[in-house]
Amino acid sequence: MIMDILNYLIALATLFFGYRIYMARKDGKKFSEIKPLMISFFACIGLLWAITVFTAFFN
């Protein structure tokens, strides 16, 4: 139950960071300027993958 809620929250955070990256790139910012957003985005993707693997093996 708690893993499902955590999974949904991380999915929302991933969408949020993806949207922020899209808007920043649309405004003409370089990837070096949005490095913290990129790190956060990839961290969320990694967490989503880890939770999916964890729930697949232990459920």
Side-chain angles (χ1 to χ4, degrees):
M1 175 75 177
I2 192 75
M3 293 301 278
D4 293 333
I5 294 170
L6 185 61
N7 200 14
Y8 289 127
L9 291 176
I10 293 173
L12 285 174
T14 304
L15 290 174
F16 173 74
F17 286 125
Y19 177 74
R20 294 274 313 266
I21 290 169
Y22 169 75
M23 292 305 292
R25 289 293 294 161
K26 187 177 173 185
D27 291 339
K29 292 185 180 179
K30 297 179 182 177
F31 281 115
S32 60
E33 295 175 3
I34 57 172
K35 188 176 180 179
L37 285 175
M38 297 291 290
I39 292 170
S40 300
F41 180 72
F42 289 124
C44 286
I45 289 176
L47 285 171
L48 281 173
W49 178 80
I51 289 173
T52 302
V53 169
F54 179 79
T55 55
F57 283 127
F58 294 110
N59 281 338

